[in-house]
Each structure stands twice: as structure tokens, then as C-alpha cells.
């Protein structure tokens, strides 16, 4: 039995079916590793992480809580049998010298060429009350699920999962990573960034902007805006979720269709010559504060002061404060999200993990279509 969320969802619809599936599982599945994969799903990984962060404050870069979060992620990966590499770095912030770290694990593939899947684990919420559940608990939980899902799989590329520190302070972790002396950038086939992959109304996958980013503090500049990786992920998503695949956002102002800005960990990689794709949950159909730019994530009045459902915008533009924005706000926590969209969060988390799993198992194939 494959790790497929569709099967699982169907099974959950009926207790009888569930009982039947568990009977089949218990009769046919002997090895421990297999059982572990099947019984622990993408949503459960997300819920475990939600439990971990629920009673804590925000994981601001350079704080003890950020370090504690790194340890927690390392434990999850280690319990799956991976060797975790810790890559510490230091940075200056308002005159203070602070430390953080990136963590990575490798899932060996037939080729030693790397496909990287990365997600930042710090958050920002001291002034807002955000707990960083979707930004970026969702991306981190997906990297734990992928480690579980792809364990002992035969992959075309060596797959490196990385959690980055200090993203919210200016992509410090991902910049430190591409600037490392021991990283051979030419050996990286692509980098998939997961940042806030649930909670917005729709799932998108972007490529880097065709106009180069500013690329500050990158050692080797060789800008790459190819979209083969993006299209490969879309093909995998269309195969597994033909009714609701990951989308390209429509063109808006200076952003051509499907192209994104430099505001997350993909950008140092694109600057350093690595092709990127970026998965994000938001809603480019909402006419937000500055137009259809994807900053407003959800068309649900729970996240607006005054929501105009017909026109997907604020009905009190001059006084609107909330703008359907979840990331970096008090809405980014379980209490504000689960009563409104728990089922959607689950479906999105599962779709992201399944799509990435399907893609990574045949990445070369999907990228040559
Ligand atoms: Zn983020």
C-alpha cells in the first residue's frame, strides 16, 4: 500500500472500511519501517508540531526557543534513522551578535546530484501574537513527513532536506548555506522552498522571477530563473490531484504568471545559480491592500474586519486592518485557524506532502515531460 492520502481519506469515511483496511494492514505488513510510514501521516506530523509550538512563544531567530525548535526537529529526523547535520552560523542584529543554525539530512539517490527541499523554522510574532503555525510550521512538518515517506525509497536524485534558521531576519540561514565553502552549487539540480504551504485558499508553485533579484551577500552570482522544476512539481500534482492541482498565479503588475519575488529562502539559491520552485498557499484572486499580489491569503470573513464576498476585497478599504492575512498575524495559530479551516489545512498539508513524494520518486521523469 502506498502512502496515499486519498486512500486514507476514503478509508476514514467509513469505520467499517477503516477496520477492514487495518485488518489488511496487520495481515500484510510485517516490517516495522513500513508500518511506521503507513500509520503516521502528513497531518499527524503537522499536529505533533502544532502541539510542540502551541504553548510556546514565537521562535524568533537567535533565541533559545529557536534553538529548542531545531533540537525538536533533529529528534524527529533522528527517530526515523537519519543522521542530522547541524550547520551553525552567526549574524548581527541591531548591534547584537546572535547565533542560529541550519539542519539537514540526506536521503541517498541513484545520482549524487542533489535536489534540496527546504523550509525555515524560525517565526516572527513578538508584537503580533503569531505562533508561526502555518508560517512555517507547515513547511517544517512536511520535511518530517517527507523524511518518513521517502526513507529507504529508491530516488533518482539524492534528496537533501534542510530546515533554515533566521529566515524572517533577512534569509540569513539560506544565505549562509549557499555561501558555505563545502557546498558545491553546481551539484545542486534544484531547490524547492516550502514556506507557508497551507492556510491560504489555494496551493501555488512558483519559479524565480525572470528579472534577477537584487542578490545581496551572495558569494557566487549566477542568477537562475528556469521553470523546469516548477513544471515538474505541477505535473506530479496534476497526476495525483487532477481536480485541484498546484496552480500558477496569474500575471499581476511586475510579476509574470507563475513567477515570485525574493522574499523567502529560495532567493539566495536562485541568485547562486540554482533553479528553484516555491510552494505557497495563498489567494491571488483576492484584491488585497495593494491589488492581487498574494499577500491576502484567505477569503473568509474571520480574517477581515469587513469582507466583501462578492468582490473578494475589503468592504471598508480605508479602515481595513486584517486584509485576510494570516502569516505574521495573531491568526497564525491553532485557536484562530482550526475552527475555521481545519479540514482544509489537513487536505492541503496532505496534498503538498503527497505531491512532493510522487515528484521526488521520479523527479527526472517529471522534469523531462
Ligand atoms: Zn515564512
Amino acid at each position: 500500500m502506498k502512502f496515499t492520502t486519498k486512500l486514507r481519506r476514503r478509508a476514514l469515511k467509513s469505520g467499517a472500511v477503516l477496520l477492514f483496511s487495518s485488518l489488511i494492514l496487520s495481515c500484510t505488513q510485517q516490517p516495522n519501517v513500513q508500518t511506521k510510514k503507513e500509520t503516521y501521516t502528513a497531518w499527524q506530523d503537522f499536529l505533533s508540531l502544532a502541539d510542540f509550538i502551541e504553548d510556546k512563544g514565537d521562535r524568533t531567530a537567535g533565541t533559545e526557543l529557536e534553538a529548542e525548535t531545531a533540537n525538536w526537529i533533529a529528534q524527529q529526523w533522528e527517530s526515523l534513522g537519519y543522521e542530522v547535520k547541524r550547520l551553525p552560523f552567526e549574524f548581527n542584529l541591531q548591534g547584537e551578535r546572535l547565533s542560529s543554525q541550519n539542519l539537514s539530512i540526506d536521503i541517498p539517490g541513484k545520482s549524487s546530484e542533489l535536489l534540496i527541499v527546504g523550509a525555515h523554522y524560525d517565526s516572527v510574532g513578538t508584537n503580533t501574537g503569531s505562533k508561526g503555525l502555518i508560517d512555517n510550521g507547515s513547511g517544517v512538518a512536511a520535511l518530517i513527513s517527507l523524511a518518513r515517506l521517502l526513507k529507504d525509497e529508491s530516488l533518482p536524485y539524492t534528496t537533501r532536506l534542510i530546515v533554515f534558521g533566521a529566515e524572517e531576519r533577512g534569509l540569513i540561514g539560506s544565505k549562509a548555506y549557499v555561501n558555505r565553502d563545502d557546498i558545491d552549487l553546481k551539484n545542486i539540480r534544484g531547490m524547492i522552498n516550502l514556506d507557508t504551504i497551507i492556510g491560504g485558499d489555494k496551493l501555488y508553485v512558483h519559479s524565480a522571477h525572470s528579472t534577477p533579484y537584487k542578490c545581496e551577500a551572495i558569494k557566487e552570482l549566477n542568477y537562475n530563473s528556469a521553470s523546469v522544476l516548477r513544471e515538474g512539481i505541477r505535473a506530479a500534482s496534476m497526476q495525483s490531484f487532477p481536480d485541484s492541482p498546484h496552480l500558477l498565479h496569474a500575471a499581476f503588475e511586475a510579476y509574470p504568471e507563475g513567477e515570485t519575488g525574493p522574499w523567502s529562502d529560495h532567493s539566495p539559491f536562485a541568485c547562486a545559480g540554482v533553479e528553484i520552485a516555491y510552494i505557497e498557499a495563498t489567494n491571488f484572486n483576492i484584491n488585497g491592500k495593494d491589488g492581487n499580489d498574494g499577500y491576502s491569503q484567505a477569503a473568509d470573513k474571520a480574517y477581515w474586519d469587513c469582507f466583501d464576498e462578492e468582490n473578494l476585497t475589503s468592504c471598508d478599504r480605508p479602515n481595513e486592518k486584517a486584509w485576510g492575512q494570516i502569516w505574521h498575524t495573531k491568526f497564525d495559530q491553532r485557536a484562530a485557524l482550526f475552527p475555521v479551516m481545519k479540514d482544509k489545512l489537513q487536505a492541503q498539508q496532505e496534498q503538498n506532502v503527497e505531491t512532493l513524494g510522487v515528484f521526488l520518486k521520479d523527479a527526472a521523469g517529471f522534469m523531462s515531460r
Side-chain angles (χ1 to χ4, degrees), residues 36 41 77 146 154 178 181 195 208 275 278 293 306 366:
K36 237 184 176 178
T41 68
W77 278 343
L146 285 173
S154 161
V178 302
D181 291 333
D195 192 356
E275 179 173 352
Y278 168 19
D293 59 3
C306 182
F366 280 113

Side-chain angles (χ1 to χ4, degrees), residues 47 50 55 58 62 131 138-139 148 161 213 284 325 331 337 360:
L47 291 178
D55 55 344
D58 89 292
K131 288 192 172 170
S138 60
R148 186 188 312 283
L161 308 183
Y213 300 147
F284 286 87
Q325 197 184 326
F331 298 131
L337 288 164
L360 291 166

Side-chain angles (χ1 to χ4, degrees), residues 206-211 213 223-227 230 258-261 266 270 274 276-278:
H206 316 301
S207 55
H209 204 293
S210 40
T211 305
Y213 300 147
Y223 191 75
N224 189 333
S225 65
S227 54
R230 178 191 82 189
E259 297 184 7
T260 191
H266 55 278
V274 177
I276 67 97
Y278 168 19

Side-chain angles (χ1 to χ4, degrees), residues 30-258:
Q30 297 304 324
N32 277 336
V33 173
Q34 285 277 315
T35 309
K36 237 184 176 178
K37 259 193 209 178
E38 305 307 334
T39 54
Y40 222 84
T41 68
W43 181 241
Q44 283 170 303
D45 282 323
F46 179 78
L47 291 178
S48 303
L49 184 127
D51 280 344
F52 172 78
I53 65 180
E54 186 58 20
D55 55 344
K56 299 187 161 45
D58 89 292
R59 311 177 290 283
T60 298
T63 62
E64 225 164 86
L65 194 50
E66 195 204 27
E68 213 183 296
T69 308
N71 291 339
W72 185 86
I73 297 164
Q75 272 168 21
Q76 309 304 307
W77 278 343
E78 278 159 4
S79 74
L80 292 166
Y82 291 96
E83 194 183 319
V84 178
K85 217 176 193 182
R86 288 178 184 258
L87 308 165
F89 58 89
E90 294 193 337
F91 61 103
N92 291 319
L93 190 71
Q94 290 154 0
E96 236 189 308
R97 191 81 181 148
L98 298 170
S99 42
S100 179
Q101 57 189 316
N102 300 321
L103 308 179
S104 78
I105 58 170
D106 280 356
I107 310 170
K110 289 187 195 109
S111 161
S112 61
E113 213 180 342
L114 291 177
L115 263 179
I116 290 176
V117 191
H120 77 85
Y121 66 92
D122 64 316
S123 71
V124 58
T126 315
N127 302 320
T128 62
S130 163
K131 288 192 172 170
L133 182 60
I134 62 165
D135 181 9
N136 189 22
S138 60
V140 171
L143 292 191
I144 293 165
S145 298
L146 285 173
R148 186 188 312 283
L149 174 63
L150 300 175
K151 179 92 177 129
D152 303 323
E153 286 286 343
S154 161
L155 303 175
Y157 294 97
T158 295
T159 299
R160 178 166 294 172
L161 308 183
I162 310 180
V163 290
F164 298 107
E167 186 267 354
E168 303 281 12
R169 294 296 183 196
L171 320 180
I172 296 166
S174 46
K175 281 178 188 164
Y177 190 85
V178 302
N179 284 339
R180 286 180 67 89
D181 291 333
D182 60 354
I183 298 301
D184 178 7
L185 292 164
K186 288 182 192 67
N187 189 45
I188 306 176
R189 172 59 191 88
M191 186 275 185
I192 304 167
N193 183 29
L194 310 181
D195 192 356
T196 315
I197 60 171
I198 64 174
D201 291 332
K202 298 159 196 283
L203 300 181
Y204 295 90
V205 57
H206 316 301
S207 55
H209 204 293
S210 40
T211 305
Y213 300 147
K214 276 193 184 136
C215 295
E216 285 151 359
I218 303 297
K219 204 171 61 180
E220 272 175 62
L221 284 181
N222 182 23
Y223 191 75
N224 189 333
S225 65
S227 54
V228 176
L229 180 58
R230 178 191 82 189
E231 291 308 309
I233 294 169
R234 283 222 303 149
S237 187
M238 278 186 255
Q239 181 182 296
S240 299
F241 299 89
D243 299 335
S244 59
H246 287 72
L247 304 169
L248 297 184
H249 73 73
F252 67 96
E253 291 190 16
Y255 287 84
E257 180 189 52

